[in-house]
Amino acid sequence: MNVIPAEYGLILASVLFTLGLVSLLIRRNIIFMLISVEIMLNAAGIAFIVAGSKWAQPDGQVMFIFILTMAAAEVSVGLALILQMYHQLKTLDSDAANKMKG
Amino acid sequence: MAIIFYMASAIAVIATVMVITRHNLVHALLYLVVSFLAVAIVFYVLGAPFIAVLEIIIYAGAIVVLLIFVIMMLNLRQESVAQEKQWFSGKIIIGPLILASILLVEMLYILTSGEPAGLSENMIEAKAVGMSLYGPYVLGVELSGILLMSGIVGAYHLGRQKKKVTHRFLEKKEE
Amino acid sequence: MSDLVWLIPGLPFVGAVILIFGGTNLPRRLVPVVGAGSVGLSALMTLFIGFEFLTATPTAQSYQQVVWNWIEASGFSVAFAFHLDVLSLVFIFVITFVGFLIHLYSAEFMASDEGYARFFAYLNLFVGFMLILVMADNLLLMYLGWEGVGLCSYLLIGFWYLDEKNGYAARKAFIITRVGDTAMVIGLFILFKTFGTLNIAGIQEQAPQLWVVGSSQATLIALLLLGGAVGKSAQLPLQTWLPDAMAGPSPVSALIHAATMVTAGVYIIARTHVIFELAPIALFTVGVIGALTLLIAGFSALTQYDLKRVLAYSTISQIGYMFLALGVGAWSSAIFHFMIHAFFKALLFLGAGAVIAAVHHEHDMFKMGGLRKKLPLVYWTFLIGAASLAALPFVTAGFYSKDQILWLSWASEKGNNWLFLAALIGAFITTVYTFRMVFLTFFGEVKTQVTRVPGLAINISLVVLAILSTIGGFIEIPHSMGHVQMVTDFLSPVLPVTSIRPGIESSEWIIQLAAAILSIGGLLLAYFLYMKRPSLHFKIKNSIPHLHSFWLSGWRFDSLYDWLVVRPFVYVANINKNDPFNGPYNGVVRAANFFHRILSFTQSGILRWYLIGVVIGAILILTLGIWL
């Protein structure tokens, strides 16, 4: 049984993070943007787990739990905002919410 | 074990690619669940069984369900898919793709430029995590509690349906 | 004894105050009574005080009266005090008496003018300030009078302010004299810094102890004071304002721009002669300026058409003689010439005013002519004044005063041949232009209708001044003709007697003969050119048109100053109008605005643009991390 190099775990995290970032940039649908944020947060979590595993310490997992908590709170508030936006603008287009244009 | 790691990683990446290319929200969410499950396997392989379970319960369970709930509440129909197709035109993805690839290349460069190091094979049990959480990180736990509380209150407040939704500064006159 | 000294300048001020506040509410008949009356009373007071001063049993050198303490501030104290000595007595006498005669003349001359009361108010104010100038005990009070007369001169030149030209002339006079005044003020500052006092007597006492002859500080102060004198007395190079000052009414030209104010420069140099004697270079400069000015103004006077401008240039020229006299140390001669000049120049201006009023405000001499029959009294008095100006020998006062200057410009220790030559040529030119003026105006064919014949008040003033212009000279008669030296003796307590080069006293009669011959020669030349062969002077004029227009424009000094001062000033002002110094600040504002616009463009309200920004930022930071 060969050892998994730590870089590979981090590469996985980077790839997932970048995919989430690409999705965030190319999507106009605000729910998709929320999903992309979740992907990116998850990728960050992977990086913590990999680091925790490398040093054999529980701290990485603790950090993941914090990220998880944050993600849960964020998604609940984000979804509430999406609902409000949909009710007010009758669309999920993030570009429609540009009243703050300078 | 390594082969499982590679397979799960591949599944996670492919599923995520599928997520970000779907036009239908529900399809995208299903692929997302697949991606989360694959990541859970990765966690298990990396020696974090407790986190693997949490990943499944909270990410694949709670968060995705929450999203599906919202989609149901919004009652999106077939035309939203057409709309999504129209928004998701080929030209628009070029710029973000280039930027993201630059970022990825840089990250990979940084990751591979260091000394290669192996991961430990020891499982870190839930007990150790719990000891750590309620030991040195107890302050973080308290703050997380506050964060969740404010999340609940915020979600409740924002999600409340009013008959007429206008900003309170813009309201004409209320009895 | 003379506790009433302060009344001499006080009375005209009282008159001015009454006239200013009474204004048009005063009955018209009362205006000249107040105006001329106050100056008349002042003149009587002068007689009374002068008599008392001269006959006081222990013969007093001077008399001081402190009216009140003007300024008192930590070591600097200036009293509002009057100083009476023989020098100021001569000036007071001329100012009050000539002033009174001119007031009398104005009572009739200006009778139909709308600003009757205003005119007399200004005149009274002027006389008051002029008296303060000559009676001041210290240089600061003198400067008050100095600026006061400048103000009145400005007000009176622009008296008919509805005509824009007069306003320009007034401003020109005011601004150009201010140039000289600035020099003088700087001189006063240095004086105060050196002596710690501005008291004239104090300075005269301390100066010879503090400075040796030719000390640079004395020279500097003397030159600065000379600057003020040059501005006020219309000498080279600040003489250009005086011909334009003729825009004022004729009595004003007579009083201010001929008889009194323009001689203030002579007064101040005579008053501070101690400083000038310690600065031979400055004193020599005074003489050179006088000589140059009398020639330049004389040549200009030869070509003028305007009767009053001829007189203006002649005034400049005659004050040049006074400066020349001061320059060679002939102090009392300068004062003597000042007095005689005040008489005959006031007479000439008043006569010219009467002539101009008679021919319906025509100033051009070539359009007059033959007025001898129409205005006989004006003609005779004008002729006496002209003869005096031309210094016709023996019978005129001008001969005695000018002859003395001619003699001393050669014979004085400080004199030299060149100054004498300039004075001699000047004397010849003076006669030519004077009689050119007389012949053109009063002889020849009649060209205009006489619309206004002068009345009693004008006639009285003319006659009195004509008498003074004749007998005034007999108080000082040269050695070779009987030797009367009343003026020199009279002034000797204040002004030193001119020292003469030894061994040449006997040749005085040669100079006198030369002056007399030149003066009569000039008369004959003018007679020949303008009476006998009138076509000849046109021919001469046409053969040298450039020189003629050069002299007509007063040696083009106006263009020179326009080119030298006015245009660069206007150019700089034009640049400044656009506020170049604000440019950088406006640039900062514009740059801020520009960047604000760019930044506000990035605030598009589109979420993904912001995210792109975040990504680019992340890329930049990572790139930096890799490279460094």
Side-chain angles (χ1 to χ4, degrees), chain C residues 19-351:
Chain C
L19 287 166
I20 287 168
F21 288 100
T24 45
N25 299 329
L26 282 180
R28 227 174 151 74
R29 274 185 304 115
L30 208 62
V31 169
V33 174
V34 174
S38 60
V39 179
L41 277 179
S42 187
L44 286 178
M45 196 67 76
T46 309
L47 269 190
F48 171 68
I49 287 171
F51 183 74
E52 236 184 335
F53 178 76
L54 295 174
T55 55
T57 29
T59 319
Q61 291 277 314
S62 64
Y63 172 75
Q64 253 95 0
Q65 185 185 25
V66 179
V67 182
W68 75 81
N69 214 354
W70 189 16
I71 299 172
E72 180 75 68
S74 68
F76 176 67
S77 85
V78 175
F80 204 97
F82 295 123
H83 175 93
L84 201 68
D85 61 11
V86 283
L87 177 61
S88 51
L89 210 57
V90 172
F91 271 85
I92 297 167
F93 173 74
V94 171
I95 292 161
T96 51
F97 274 83
V98 176
F100 171 68
L101 289 171
I102 289 168
H103 275 74
L104 191 65
Y105 175 93
S106 312
E108 186 191 324
F109 188 80
M110 300 295 288
S112 55
D113 197 278
E114 214 176 322
Y116 201 36
R118 187 161 60 92
F119 183 77
F120 274 102
Y122 290 166
L123 273 191
N124 274 10
L125 202 61
F126 167 78
V127 171
F129 274 125
M130 191 69 204
L131 288 168
I132 283 189
L133 198 169
V134 298
M135 290 169 73
D137 166 63
N138 56 67
L139 287 169
L140 194 68
L141 186 59
M142 185 159 114
Y143 188 68
L144 175 76
W146 186 273
E147 292 298 337
V149 293
L151 168 72
C152 293
S153 161
Y154 164 76
L155 291 172
L156 284 162
I157 294 170
F159 182 71
W160 289 312
Y161 54 83
L162 289 179
D163 190 346
E164 210 175 340
K165 239 174 47 240
N166 298 343
Y168 277 123
R171 285 199 289 282
K172 184 176 179 186
F174 197 74
I175 290 165
I176 291 182
T177 48
R178 218 47 67 232
V179 175
D181 292 358
T182 310
M184 185 167 129
V185 167
I186 296 169
L188 293 192
F189 290 156
I190 301 177
L191 265 180
F192 177 72
K193 199 164 178 303
T194 314
F195 293 105
T197 177
L198 284 174
N199 195 293
I200 295 168
I203 288 172
Q204 280 180 337
E205 243 169 62
Q206 289 178 40
Q209 297 159 16
L210 199 70
W211 293 324
V212 292
V213 174
S215 106
S216 59
Q217 201 174 20
T219 311
L220 176 69
I221 291 172
L223 285 176
L224 286 168
L225 290 178
L226 174 64
V230 157
K232 207 60 148 185
S233 292
Q235 296 295 291
L236 206 70
L238 297 176
Q239 84 284 28
T240 57
W241 65 271
L242 190 59
D244 288 317
M246 296 304 127
S250 293
V252 171
S253 309
L255 179 60
I256 299 180
H257 304 120
T260 54
M261 184 191 84
V262 288
T263 54
V266 178
Y267 173 77
I268 192 173
I269 293 177
R271 181 52 92 194
T272 56
H273 66 93
V274 175
I275 297 174
F276 278 87
E277 276 176 343
L278 289 171
I281 300 170
L283 196 58
F284 182 68
T285 313
V286 175
V288 171
I289 285 178
L292 285 177
T293 310
L294 75 90
L295 283 179
I296 283 177
F299 280 114
S300 280
L302 274 178
T303 55
Q304 301 300 316
Y305 299 117
D306 185 335
L307 180 55
K308 281 179 75 179
R309 282 181 93 87
V310 177
L311 289 171
Y313 277 112
S314 129
T315 303
I316 298 175
S317 170
Q318 296 306 307
I319 298 172
Y321 271 108
M322 295 176 213
F323 269 61
L324 177 61
L326 295 171
V328 297
W331 311 103
S332 57
S333 309
I335 304 305
F336 182 39
H337 193 55
F338 148 74
M339 188 174 83
I340 304 299
H341 174 256
F343 294 148
F344 68 69
K345 196 46 71 67
L347 170 61
L348 285 172
F349 264 114
L350 294 184

Side-chain angles (χ1 to χ4, degrees), chain A residues 21 24-28 95 97-98 100-102, chain C residues 600-601 603-608 610-612 615:
Chain A
L21 184 65
L24 190 63
L25 291 175
I26 62 178
R27 288 289 183 167
R28 274 172 84 171
D95 292 1
N98 64 349
M100 295 268 279
K101 188 158 106 186
Chain C
S600 95
F601 174 73
Q603 175 94 13
S604 58
I606 295 171
L607 194 56
R608 290 176 305 160
Y610 302 165
L611 286 169
I612 295 253
V615 173

Side-chain angles (χ1 to χ4, degrees), chain C residues 538-556:
Chain C
F538 285 113
K539 225 177 267 171
I540 293 173
K541 188 180 96 180
N542 291 334
S543 63
I544 44 165
H546 295 297
L547 194 61
H548 180 264
S549 67
F550 184 61
W551 284 348
L552 182 65
S553 63
W555 297 63
R556 295 242 193 286

Side-chain angles (χ1 to χ4, degrees), chain C residues 503-517:
Chain C
I504 52 171
E505 272 145 31
S506 54
S507 54
E508 188 176 1
W509 66 273
I510 303 176
I511 306 282
Q512 280 153 4
L513 191 64
I517 288 170

